[in-house]
Amino acid sequence: MQDLLALRDLSSAEVTQLLDLAQTIKQRPSAWQNHLQGKSIALLFEKPSLRTRASFAAGIHRLGGHSIYLDAANLMGSREPAADVGANLALWHDAIVARVFSQATLDELAQASDKPVINALSDICHPCQAMADLLTLTEQLGDLSNVTLTYFGDGNNVCQGLMSGAALVGMTLQIVTPKGYEPDTEALAHAQSVAATNGGSVTLHHDFTDLQQTHAIYTDTWFSMGQERDSNTVMHDFAPFQVNMDLMQQLGASYFMHCLPAYRGREVTAEVIDGPQSLVLHQAENRLHAQNAILVELLAGAKA
């Protein structure tokens, strides 16, 4: 691993290795407290963030490293191209964690930097979230090849990260979206091909018929950052896809997942997200451990 720009760039073995490492770091934190001693990580963010920013900063500190937060909205773009930002940051820092509007910005940063670049969210993928989700499911259910996950909502960056992750570990993933809100066609086809190779499946649905029973249900906000959509149209199109207790029971789901922030009464009811079946805080906690594993692996590769 030189960079982590999209989860689909990894192999199944690399994803499994990261999950194993994340569990090890989580269980034995003291053994890793000096692993990034003397290392500095730049957190370059175009979008606002709670979990990503706070978990990376805390995680880097726990590994013995240092981080600096940079508001990319005031640094990159009209003021200075991403290539110049990436080349300069690589002079002073050992890795760049970038949360951006466009995947093209990540590519430009990575091409200009000889240090690892990590996608902390882009328009096409949220790999750090997906790795935390896989870690959470592993802790709750064990062997992921035996797990069925059903995603309801927008075929956005979170959905596309889940597609890649599920495919790489051989999971069964059912994606249920309103018509017109599907994930990228090529990304879906790629995930379906990889899943088939690993004994899993990724299927796309537009209603609740033909859905098999599931271990967990996942949803996300109906309005993703950076998207311009008519709110009335979105609310109308997504209303039938709200996750509530009836849906949880209909599909036999034991767990509920959401990457947050969540809007109670919209994509999910309070009864579901605040109930005992909710894993949302487990997912949020595991962002730190999954990301620490990514940092350890990338910086180890950078030393080679």
Side-chain angles (χ1 to χ4, degrees), residues 39-85:
K39 300 295 183 182
S40 181
I41 314 297
L43 307 179
L44 183 67
F45 282 40
E46 287 185 327
K47 292 184 174 186
S49 170
L50 170 62
R51 278 151 297 279
T52 302
R53 178 179 177 180
S55 60
F56 262 112
I60 291 164
H61 177 72
R62 291 191 190 189
L63 293 174
H66 165 80
S67 65
I68 181 172
Y69 176 81
L70 299 165
D71 182 359
N74 295 318
L75 299 175
M76 190 166 59
S78 58
R79 182 182 185 275
E80 195 163 1
D84 286 355
V85 173

Side-chain angles (χ1 to χ4, degrees), residues 24-292:
T24 300
I25 294 174
K26 183 175 181 177
Q27 292 161 3
R28 299 174 53 232
S30 61
W32 301 86
Q33 62 186 4
N34 296 315
H35 199 80
L36 294 188
Q37 187 72 39
K39 300 295 183 182
S40 181
I41 314 297
L43 307 179
L44 183 67
F45 282 40
E46 287 185 327
K47 292 184 174 186
S49 170
L50 170 62
R51 278 151 297 279
T52 302
R53 178 179 177 180
S55 60
F56 262 112
I60 291 164
H61 177 72
R62 291 191 190 189
L63 293 174
H66 165 80
S67 65
I68 181 172
Y69 176 81
L70 299 165
D71 182 359
N74 295 318
L75 299 175
M76 190 166 59
S78 58
R79 182 182 185 275
E80 195 163 1
D84 286 355
V85 173
N88 276 266
L89 289 177
L91 300 174
W92 316 307
H93 300 282
D94 298 284
I96 300 169
V97 175
R99 183 177 176 91
V100 298
F101 285 101
S102 172
Q103 186 75 18
T105 302
L106 279 173
D107 295 336
E108 191 174 345
L109 286 167
Q111 289 169 7
S113 169
D114 60 354
K115 304 294 174 58
V117 174
I118 298 172
N119 179 355
L121 182 142
S122 72
D123 57 334
I124 71 161
C125 189
H126 198 352
C128 295
Q129 180 67 55
M131 289 302 303
D133 296 336
L134 294 178
L135 177 60
T136 302
L137 287 169
T138 299
E139 291 175 338
Q140 300 298 324
L141 296 166
D143 186 353
L144 293 176
S145 66
N146 296 323
V147 172
T148 298
L149 175 66
T150 304
Y151 175 92
F152 286 88
D154 191 13
N156 59 10
N157 45 13
V158 170
C159 176
Q160 294 187 163
L162 283 172
M163 286 189 331
S164 296
L168 287 163
V169 298
M171 252 171 56
T172 297
L173 175 63
Q174 303 177 119
I175 300 168
V176 192
T177 74
K179 290 183 178 179
Y181 298 89
E182 302 87 351
D184 177 76
T185 302
E186 189 277 331
L188 176 62
H190 180 269
Q192 289 173 328
S193 175
V194 173
T197 301
N198 292 315
S201 67
V202 177
T203 55
L204 177 64
H205 311 261
H206 294 302
D207 54 45
F208 300 171
T209 60
D210 300 326
L211 291 178
Q212 59 180 285
Q213 296 286 284
T214 190
H215 293 97
I217 288 178
Y218 197 124
T219 193
D220 189 13
T221 175
W222 297 341
F223 296 90
S224 297
M225 280 186 290
Q227 290 183 341
E228 294 184 7
R229 290 173 173 170
D230 179 74
S231 59
N232 291 330
T233 300
V234 170
M235 294 293 284
H236 173 270
D237 293 346
F238 280 89
F241 296 83
Q242 181 191 71
V243 179
N244 50 44
M245 286 306 298
D246 286 343
L247 181 62
M248 295 285 291
Q249 293 166 3
Q250 178 184 333
L251 294 182
S254 299
Y255 299 108
F256 171 76
M257 305 178 75
H258 195 305
C259 59
L260 303 177
Y263 299 88
R264 289 163 177 80
R266 187 183 290 174
E267 72 267 14
V268 60
T269 61
E271 183 182 15
V272 170
I273 193 170
D274 298 322
Q277 64 280 332
S278 178
L279 297 178
V280 298
L281 292 181
H282 295 275
Q283 294 170 260
E285 178 189 356
N286 280 335
R287 288 291 302 277
L288 183 150
H289 305 297
Q291 289 160 186
N292 276 2

